[in-house]
Amino acid sequence: MAEQVIHGLGVSPGVVCAPWLRFGTQLATSAQDPVGGTVEQELARVKDALGGVADEMLNRASRVSGVAAEILSMSATMARDPGIVAAAEKELAAGMPTAHAVHLAFEGFCAKLEALGGYMAERVTDLRDIGGRTVAVLLGEPMPGIPEPGYPFVLVARDLAPADTAMLGDSDVVGLLTSEGGPTSHTAILAKSLGLPAVVNCPDTDRLVDGTPVLVDGTTGEVVIDPTPGRRQAAVEQAAADKARIAAASGPGHTADGTPVHLLVNIGTVEDAAKAGPVDSEGVGLFRTEFMYLGKSSAPSLDEQTASYTSVLEQFAGRRVVVRTLDAGSDKPLPFLDLGTEENPALGVRGLRIGTVFPETLTTQLTALARAGAATGADLWVMAPMVATADEAAGFAALAREAGLHKVGAMIEIPAAALRAADLLAHLDFVSIGTNDLSQYTCAVDRMAGGLAQLLDPWQPAVLDLIAMVGAAGTAAGKPVGVCGEAASDPTLAPVLVGLGVTSLSMSVPALPAVRAALAAVDIQRCQDAADAACAARDPQAARAVAAAIVGRV
Ligand code: PEP
Ligand code: MG
């Protein structure tokens, strides 16, 4: 077969060539399957199967750490939920065959979570995954999931459940290719954190035949099926060159001609800070404080917050730490901030707006931050999420300064704020662009909706235009403009952002070396040329292609 080239979205840089294997698919069940023993006998089998799946999840959790271990432990807890057993018992009593009864029980819970929306709806993939595993045990069939062939391979799937992406680090997977999913999907984020080249949203993967060699270029989004020997050799050489170039760069970020671009990391907890502290970075560009309180039913006290923030700041003495006040609501509900039911929570009370409903929560947090800042040697910057207007920026700045904070900023995540960035900056010391939400609100696409990934792409020229407006406002005011959304971790987009006037980039720890190396390879003029060309493009693919042609492979 001659080689074929197809395209998706490159979401984790690097190139790899290996045979591909498809992710083990879920088994179908039906009400027409044969019924087994009595309800009691079958219920006992269901309990055994669920227990086995939970044990397997815990076993896998013990072999990994961090986010992966947390996701797997949470899956084990779901498998032990008595509600699932009760729902399966009801289906068995209604005469359903055992595996189908389990399938229906899980689907019932999935429907409820989907109706809740936001963070809860995101758990549906995990829950379906546990249901599929339980069904496989009951039917005596192989587990759905990542194959274990004993040789390196590219994993091909529709999209991956968090529980499976969590196991990638422990597998023979050397690259990822999915037909669905977007730049902010679990697949993309985990692939980046593991350094696995990945292409998502590549609809043509159905054409692939099991075991065929495939070349996946996570930098360009290009996928070559059955590549020629010449192309394979070139890919091996490219991978080695990429690795050497990335390893050669270190220290503070800058372009080839020495324009500084501060390179910072994103963290969400005290543990993240402890891990990120020793990393070669200039500090923290986004501390998502709400991540520490996602499961809490009561508000953290002033003392508790002061202690946590002090622990975080201590890790970065002498370096910058940009702390974001609680970004609760919508996809990140905090149980102790009851916002009632909203029709469209992403357009409702979230981010800074929470301060209008719970003013004390905001002032307590600002006081805790000021105390932690005074107690440590870190360069503390504080910003508010989801700011829409200059008045909101002014109100937040006044509160923060009153609490004793000196560097006060806002996130630019709403098109209104980008369009009027100059007005916001009149009250602030800096701004930081949250490209995840800015993309979602610019193209009116739910950032959790994998099927609409093209519209969530930060390469959308409309999003680039808004970033350009913020960059220009920052340059005119002589104030820093950061980017702390996923866009900052794309090595091809980083020079474009700098060309648009961005002065710092904040990203996950593993993404930083490739971005540092990419910037070191281009001078500021080339960054500006790439930015102009990308903004002049008609769609995200064209923007990326023209920018890549100008900055070269990074
Ligand atoms: C963003 O929206 O880009 C951002 C950094 O904030 P979060 O992803 O936490 O909403
Ligand atoms: Mg955001």
PDB file of all heavy atoms in Angstrom, residues 18 20 50 96 129 138 166 185 251 255 292 346 402 467 505 514 551:
ATOM      1  N   ALA A  18       5.717   4.052  14.539  1.00  0.00           N
ATOM      2  CA  ALA A  18       5.602   2.714  15.120  1.00  0.00           C
ATOM      3  C   ALA A  18       4.319   2.087  14.583  1.00  0.00           C
ATOM      4  O   ALA A  18       3.459   2.795  14.048  1.00  0.00           O
ATOM      5  CB  ALA A  18       5.538   2.805  16.648  1.00  0.00           C
ATOM      6  N   TRP A  20       0.600   0.815  14.727  1.00  0.00           N
ATOM      7  CA  TRP A  20      -0.470   1.303  15.584  1.00  0.00           C
ATOM      8  C   TRP A  20      -1.345   0.141  16.030  1.00  0.00           C
ATOM      9  O   TRP A  20      -1.471  -0.881  15.340  1.00  0.00           O
ATOM     10  CB  TRP A  20      -1.315   2.357  14.864  1.00  0.00           C
ATOM     11  CG  TRP A  20      -2.219   1.776  13.821  1.00  0.00           C
ATOM     12  CD1 TRP A  20      -1.929   1.596  12.515  1.00  0.00           C
ATOM     13  CD2 TRP A  20      -3.517   1.263  14.034  1.00  0.00           C
ATOM     14  NE1 TRP A  20      -2.955   1.015  11.889  1.00  0.00           N
ATOM     15  CE2 TRP A  20      -3.962   0.794  12.783  1.00  0.00           C
ATOM     16  CE3 TRP A  20      -4.361   1.162  15.127  1.00  0.00           C
ATOM     17  CZ2 TRP A  20      -5.213   0.224  12.610  1.00  0.00           C
ATOM     18  CZ3 TRP A  20      -5.604   0.598  14.971  1.00  0.00           C
ATOM     19  CH2 TRP A  20      -6.020   0.133  13.724  1.00  0.00           C
ATOM     20  N   LEU A  50     -17.483  -6.133  40.254  1.00  0.00           N
ATOM     21  CA  LEU A  50     -17.205  -4.734  40.618  1.00  0.00           C
ATOM     22  C   LEU A  50     -16.010  -4.646  41.572  1.00  0.00           C
ATOM     23  O   LEU A  50     -15.143  -3.783  41.434  1.00  0.00           O
ATOM     24  CB  LEU A  50     -18.439  -4.107  41.289  1.00  0.00           C
ATOM     25  CG  LEU A  50     -19.582  -3.732  40.339  1.00  0.00           C
ATOM     26  CD1 LEU A  50     -20.862  -3.449  41.125  1.00  0.00           C
ATOM     27  CD2 LEU A  50     -19.214  -2.509  39.497  1.00  0.00           C
ATOM     28  N   MET A  96     -33.546  -8.643  33.470  1.00  0.00           N
ATOM     29  CA  MET A  96     -32.469  -8.353  32.522  1.00  0.00           C
ATOM     30  C   MET A  96     -31.313  -9.358  32.663  1.00  0.00           C
ATOM     31  O   MET A  96     -30.985  -9.766  33.776  1.00  0.00           O
ATOM     32  CB  MET A  96     -31.909  -6.946  32.768  1.00  0.00           C
ATOM     33  CG  MET A  96     -32.802  -5.837  32.293  1.00  0.00           C
ATOM     34  SD  MET A  96     -33.030  -5.957  30.515  1.00  0.00           S
ATOM     35  CE  MET A  96     -34.787  -5.693  30.411  1.00  0.00           C
ATOM     36  N   ASP A 129     -16.206   3.793  31.617  1.00  0.00           N
ATOM     37  CA  ASP A 129     -15.031   2.941  31.550  1.00  0.00           C
ATOM     38  C   ASP A 129     -15.129   1.830  32.594  1.00  0.00           C
ATOM     39  O   ASP A 129     -14.876   0.661  32.301  1.00  0.00           O
ATOM     40  CB  ASP A 129     -13.800   3.832  31.802  1.00  0.00           C
ATOM     41  CG  ASP A 129     -12.521   3.038  31.832  1.00  0.00           C
ATOM     42  OD1 ASP A 129     -12.233   2.394  30.810  1.00  0.00           O
ATOM     43  OD2 ASP A 129     -11.829   3.045  32.860  1.00  0.00           O
ATOM     44  N   LEU A 138     -17.762  -9.933  33.546  1.00  0.00           N
ATOM     45  CA  LEU A 138     -18.947 -10.805  33.611  1.00  0.00           C
ATOM     46  C   LEU A 138     -19.057 -11.700  32.374  1.00  0.00           C
ATOM     47  O   LEU A 138     -19.530 -12.830  32.460  1.00  0.00           O
ATOM     48  CB  LEU A 138     -20.215  -9.943  33.740  1.00  0.00           C
ATOM     49  CG  LEU A 138     -20.402  -9.300  35.115  1.00  0.00           C
ATOM     50  CD1 LEU A 138     -21.470  -8.214  35.051  1.00  0.00           C
ATOM     51  CD2 LEU A 138     -20.762 -10.347  36.160  1.00  0.00           C
ATOM     52  N   ALA A 166      -4.352   7.753  32.227  1.00  0.00           N
ATOM     53  CA  ALA A 166      -3.534   7.692  33.435  1.00  0.00           C
ATOM     54  C   ALA A 166      -2.529   6.555  33.372  1.00  0.00           C
ATOM     55  O   ALA A 166      -1.470   6.621  33.980  1.00  0.00           O
ATOM     56  CB  ALA A 166      -4.432   7.529  34.657  1.00  0.00           C
ATOM     57  N   SER A 185      -8.544  18.483  25.809  1.00  0.00           N
ATOM     58  CA  SER A 185      -9.056  17.192  26.304  1.00  0.00           C
ATOM     59  C   SER A 185      -8.033  16.532  27.227  1.00  0.00           C
ATOM     60  O   SER A 185      -6.859  16.878  27.224  1.00  0.00           O
ATOM     61  CB  SER A 185      -9.356  16.267  25.119  1.00  0.00           C
ATOM     62  OG  SER A 185      -8.161  16.006  24.414  1.00  0.00           O
ATOM     63  N   GLY A 251      17.678  27.908  31.667  1.00  0.00           N
ATOM     64  CA  GLY A 251      17.671  29.246  32.263  1.00  0.00           C
ATOM     65  C   GLY A 251      16.497  30.100  31.815  1.00  0.00           C
ATOM     66  O   GLY A 251      15.556  29.603  31.183  1.00  0.00           O
ATOM     67  N   THR A 255      14.269  35.200  23.355  1.00  0.00           N
ATOM     68  CA  THR A 255      14.319  34.892  21.921  1.00  0.00           C
ATOM     69  C   THR A 255      15.791  34.843  21.507  1.00  0.00           C
ATOM     70  O   THR A 255      16.682  35.173  22.309  1.00  0.00           O
ATOM     71  CB  THR A 255      13.581  35.975  21.111  1.00  0.00           C
ATOM     72  OG1 THR A 255      14.197  37.228  21.401  1.00  0.00           O
ATOM     73  CG2 THR A 255      12.104  36.034  21.464  1.00  0.00           C
ATOM     74  N   MET A 292      -7.344  23.534  45.311  1.00  0.00           N
ATOM     75  CA  MET A 292      -7.090  23.007  46.662  1.00  0.00           C
ATOM     76  C   MET A 292      -8.400  22.735  47.403  1.00  0.00           C
ATOM     77  O   MET A 292      -8.408  22.038  48.397  1.00  0.00           O
ATOM     78  CB  MET A 292      -6.264  24.018  47.474  1.00  0.00           C
ATOM     79  CG  MET A 292      -4.878  24.235  46.912  1.00  0.00           C
ATOM     80  SD  MET A 292      -3.777  24.941  48.141  1.00  0.00           S
ATOM     81  CE  MET A 292      -4.548  26.527  48.374  1.00  0.00           C
ATOM     82  N   ALA A 346     -21.662  28.425  32.677  1.00  0.00           N
ATOM     83  CA  ALA A 346     -20.445  29.024  32.102  1.00  0.00           C
ATOM     84  C   ALA A 346     -20.657  30.507  31.809  1.00  0.00           C
ATOM     85  O   ALA A 346     -19.706  31.267  31.666  1.00  0.00           O
ATOM     86  CB  ALA A 346     -20.043  28.292  30.824  1.00  0.00           C
ATOM     87  N   GLU A 402      -6.126  47.328  49.226  1.00  0.00           N
ATOM     88  CA  GLU A 402      -6.550  47.567  50.613  1.00  0.00           C
ATOM     89  C   GLU A 402      -6.071  46.430  51.526  1.00  0.00           C
ATOM     90  O   GLU A 402      -5.714  46.647  52.680  1.00  0.00           O
ATOM     91  CB  GLU A 402      -8.086  47.583  50.644  1.00  0.00           C
ATOM     92  CG  GLU A 402      -8.703  48.479  51.695  1.00  0.00           C
ATOM     93  CD  GLU A 402     -10.199  48.561  51.435  1.00  0.00           C
ATOM     94  OE1 GLU A 402     -10.594  49.160  50.404  1.00  0.00           O
ATOM     95  OE2 GLU A 402     -10.940  47.961  52.216  1.00  0.00           O
ATOM     96  N   ILE A 467      -5.877  38.470  21.220  1.00  0.00           N
ATOM     97  CA  ILE A 467      -4.593  38.461  21.942  1.00  0.00           C
ATOM     98  C   ILE A 467      -3.747  39.654  21.474  1.00  0.00           C
ATOM     99  O   ILE A 467      -3.090  40.325  22.275  1.00  0.00           O
ATOM    100  CB  ILE A 467      -3.854  37.117  21.720  1.00  0.00           C
ATOM    101  CG1 ILE A 467      -4.677  35.968  22.321  1.00  0.00           C
ATOM    102  CG2 ILE A 467      -2.454  37.158  22.350  1.00  0.00           C
ATOM    103  CD1 ILE A 467      -4.142  34.580  22.002  1.00  0.00           C
ATOM    104  N   LEU A 505       5.007  33.422  29.522  1.00  0.00           N
ATOM    105  CA  LEU A 505       4.204  32.250  29.165  1.00  0.00           C
ATOM    106  C   LEU A 505       4.223  31.295  30.345  1.00  0.00           C
ATOM    107  O   LEU A 505       5.287  31.014  30.900  1.00  0.00           O
ATOM    108  CB  LEU A 505       4.803  31.556  27.933  1.00  0.00           C
ATOM    109  CG  LEU A 505       4.828  32.378  26.641  1.00  0.00           C
ATOM    110  CD1 LEU A 505       5.718  31.705  25.593  1.00  0.00           C
ATOM    111  CD2 LEU A 505       3.416  32.558  26.101  1.00  0.00           C
ATOM    112  N   ALA A 514      10.484  22.467  25.860  1.00  0.00           N
ATOM    113  CA  ALA A 514      10.289  22.593  24.412  1.00  0.00           C
ATOM    114  C   ALA A 514       9.953  24.038  24.040  1.00  0.00           C
ATOM    115  O   ALA A 514      10.386  24.529  22.991  1.00  0.00           O
ATOM    116  CB  ALA A 514       9.182  21.648  23.942  1.00  0.00           C
ATOM    117  N   VAL A 551       8.580  30.356  11.409  1.00  0.00           N
ATOM    118  CA  VAL A 551       9.476  30.112  12.559  1.00  0.00           C
ATOM    119  C   VAL A 551      10.321  28.855  12.366  1.00  0.00           C
ATOM    120  O   VAL A 551      11.309  28.649  13.063  1.00  0.00           O
ATOM    121  CB  VAL A 551       8.721  30.029  13.915  1.00  0.00           C
ATOM    122  CG1 VAL A 551       7.969  31.280  14.208  1.00  0.00           C
ATOM    123  CG2 VAL A 551       7.819  28.824  13.995  1.00  0.00           C
TER     124      VAL A 551
END
